[in-house]
Amino acid sequence: FQSFQNVGEQNNFVFLSKKIEPSSVLETAPLSDGLKKELAWIKFSGPTFTESYCWPPVAQGYDVVVISHQGKDPLLYIPPVLTLLQLESDYQASPNVGGVSLVLCPGWKKAQLVFDLLKTYRKGCRHLHPMLIILGQNKEAASQVEIRGCDVVVTTPYNFLRLLEHNTWLLCRLCHLVLDEIEVLFSDTTEKVFTILDCYKKASAQTQGNPPRQIIAVGTQWNKHITPLMKDFMNDPYIVITVPEEAAIFGNVQQVVQPCMNSSRISELLKILDFTQRNLQKVLVCTDSVTEVEMIHKALKSNSIVSLKKHKESKCNAKCVLERWRKMHSSGTPAVLVLADDCLQPLGITDATCVIHFSFPSPGVFRQRLQCMADNFCTVVKDSAVDQEHTKAKSVILLTESSSCHAPGILHCLKHMEAEIPEELHVRVSESEENEKFSRPLCASLKTFGICRNRTACPDRHQINLSIDMAQNIADEMIATPDRVTILPLFIVHATNYFGRIVKKQKDQYTVLAKEMSDYFKVPGHRKSVNIMEKSVFYGFREGAICHRVQVIETPAKDEENVCEVTIKYIDEGRTSQVNSDQLLHLPAQFQSLPPQAVEIIVCRVKPIDNEVEWNPKVTDHINHKIKGKLHHAKVVHTLGRTVWVDPMVGVTNLPTMKIWINEYNIRSEILSTGLGTDNPEHITEIQKLCRQMPLLDHAENLEHFTKEDTAGLEEVTNPQDTWIQENSAESHNTSATPPSDDVVQTKEAEDSTVHQQKGCHPQIKWFQDTVTVTLKIQILRAADCKCEFSKEKVVFSAYSEGRLYVADLELYQSIIAEKSTCMIKDTEAVILLAKEKKGAWCKLLKNKNVHVSLDFEHWEESEDEKPFTVG
């Protein structure tokens, strides 16, 4: 191996395993003439710095690994791969027997992007037939795919393995394998990627002749699995890395985080230098101020350590310092240079063996400092058994009590470099990052699926902010019977997230209002345009014969013209659009008294297959066509502000002559039937956990309305003659007067049921009974300091879990025998067994409603003639 670095005028950096002559101009790039013309026609501005180094080896058919900030851009490989395919097709007698290229992407969305780019650039290539393959879990889908005559297959690891079950011949024709966003592939689908690589390797060994074989891996970060990829599956690959910290990881730079007090940094520095002095290393001590450069230099001198110094006020110029730096080491004297950050680039040092970060660096400065060791990055492909002697370079950060304010920007970089970081700093930084997001919207993925897979990169909030999430609430009467509400979805965000209205069966207030508005605005004299717009004010807006209430949420900068384009929100539907300001109408006060009717609706317990983070458009389009503007019955399992989580949600048809509703379909089952959705059993639990972690500030004030909204009607018993929603869509077209099945009955909860429980959080409790006992299951992890006090009509349980106190003060509906009642602590729950004073069934557990207490329907055994029980 060889290494080559280039720190140019634009601060570009490149680390190469073998020398490459860059192609920085499109005219001289190693691409086909047709492709160059196509790129020029669309005014392509490249090649970029990274493209200039990675295109040549890719176009020549070599195995290549590229790590760059540009690593998500498919143009790093598409132009040279298309050129290669064009050259190969020119020598093939028939395109049907040629090789196939495979592009593996981390998800359907990236695969779609790559496919669209291939369709765009294929105009410059003859005989190119790309194909996008996204399959569901339905087995017949893979068997029906016809890929004969296809040159490039774009898919994901999950989908390719499904395809391979019915098309094993594909591996024999596979010539070029591209791993797009390699760090994501290896992070999320490690096993599946290596399965594909193993199959590719075996097929290559069995293929007759000498067909071209090439593996290209591109990404933004180094990953530990890239090492076995290069060693076991690649043939002497070219490595192109244009990110200093990623080159440092590949180069086996040892990253050390040394905690110390700010006042003891000099003594720590002397300890580090004592070791480096004995090993004749070339050491840079980097800091961010002239004052500290002088202080460090003086301290080293007083401890008999010969050193150089350089800052912007130094008399000695950069050339002089460099000459002395080289002479010190060549003469057998340890070289130590104390350097201010603003002198790093002018000096351009690349041969240091150790960098000591005396001041805590920003990410940009950290990269600059690492570049100073580039000549000593190890170029041997290391494995887990690498010897310490292969570690040529070392980076030491002095972490003090004043560093934490700068830590968030660099902490993730240090973790990626496998540096040992104090746990308390990691916790503090994570909390700091979340606090910085506190005014952001609540993460959509967290709401929709119960999890956010990359909280660090996600710009949104992952904790409850009462001032935002509870700014508006659903009126009590809208969910007076949460077991069954009527929902009208009007705006479909994606397959499981909609905006719409909760409709009242008797006299729906919005229906009355809409009729009155329509009649009012039919009169031309009533349609008065708005001259001065204000945000948050309600206006009228006509779409044909329909009148809407809208709110201006975004206005452009002031224009000389009176008419401008504004963004409005339909407050009774949830959608937004852009309209001309002169289309907004004054809305009389009588039409503003009814609160906004739009609510956010989330269908629970279903998520995309293959760990995808977004729904495939096919699923969203199917659901949109199926449910938009149609009435549904749903069970509300949780609410937060104006968001309701429902499970199930069923499309219904009313037969007024027979006074019944017929279940047409179950949305969750509809999604599962596409093969592109799968079960998400933890969804509701995760949402409840999120809401249990609500901040306790202004507890009484904020929680009063939260509890009121979220518990309305919770103990109301459903009339046996009312409709009940069935979970199984296979039983659609049956009347809805069927009793509930166990798997659909779920309850809602809030943070606290009463304000007087502020001293501790209330745990979630599920209960069931037989004729002799009542069993309470208290959901609490690794409970400590547990106490359980029994009296004739009361149970008080308290325990600590993960540093938080949980208290449940339960006033029982009927009496128990305290002496025979017990409490047993398990790893994930506490189980309380209450001995009933009188045998028989209790119609409820508590005298007063408690939203944290619900029936455990997995254990409940109810006879057909028993009346329904309340949950708390």
Side-chain angles (χ1 to χ4, degrees), residues 491 530 533-543 548-556 564-585:
F491 172 58
V530 176
M533 292 174 302
E534 297 180 54
K535 287 186 178 181
S536 303
V537 175
F538 293 174
Y539 298 108
F541 178 70
R542 297 187 78 206
E543 278 184 333
H548 300 277
R549 298 190 301 168
V550 301
Q551 198 174 32
V552 175
I553 58 176
E554 188 177 324
T555 58
C564 60
E565 197 173 61
V566 296
T567 303
I568 60 171
K569 180 177 181 179
Y570 297 72
I571 63 173
D572 302 308
E573 294 187 12
R575 62 187 171 106
T576 61
S577 69
Q578 290 187 322
V579 299
N580 289 332
S581 57
D582 61 350
Q583 294 178 272
L584 300 181
L585 306 173

Side-chain angles (χ1 to χ4, degrees), residues 678-735:
T678 189
D679 190 33
N680 185 13
E682 302 300 322
H683 187 183
I684 298 172
T685 303
E686 290 300 321
I687 296 301
Q688 293 172 341
K689 186 188 301 182
L690 170 71
C691 292
R692 281 202 299 271
Q693 297 170 351
M694 282 171 45
L696 297 179
L697 298 175
D698 300 325
H699 190 87
E701 178 183 347
N702 286 298
L703 205 54
E704 184 176 357
H705 60 82
F706 178 78
T707 305
K708 182 180 178 183
E709 298 293 348
D710 205 32
T711 63
L714 196 61
E715 286 196 352
E716 298 206 10
V717 180
T718 306
N719 190 319
Q721 297 179 354
D722 282 350
T723 305
W724 195 282
I725 300 169
Q726 299 174 7
E727 168 69 7
N728 190 351
S729 65
E731 296 179 353
S732 61
H733 301 286
N734 293 333
T735 59

Side-chain angles (χ1 to χ4, degrees), residues 470 473-474 476 479 482 636-641 643 691 704-714 748-751 851:
M470 301 298 297
N473 298 283
I474 300 172
D476 290 359
I479 51 171
V636 176
V637 296
H638 201 81
T639 66
L640 177 66
T643 301
C691 292
E704 184 176 357
H705 60 82
F706 178 78
T707 305
K708 182 180 178 183
E709 298 293 348
D710 205 32
T711 63
L714 196 61
K748 303 186 301 165
E749 62 152 41
E751 170 60 18
V851 294

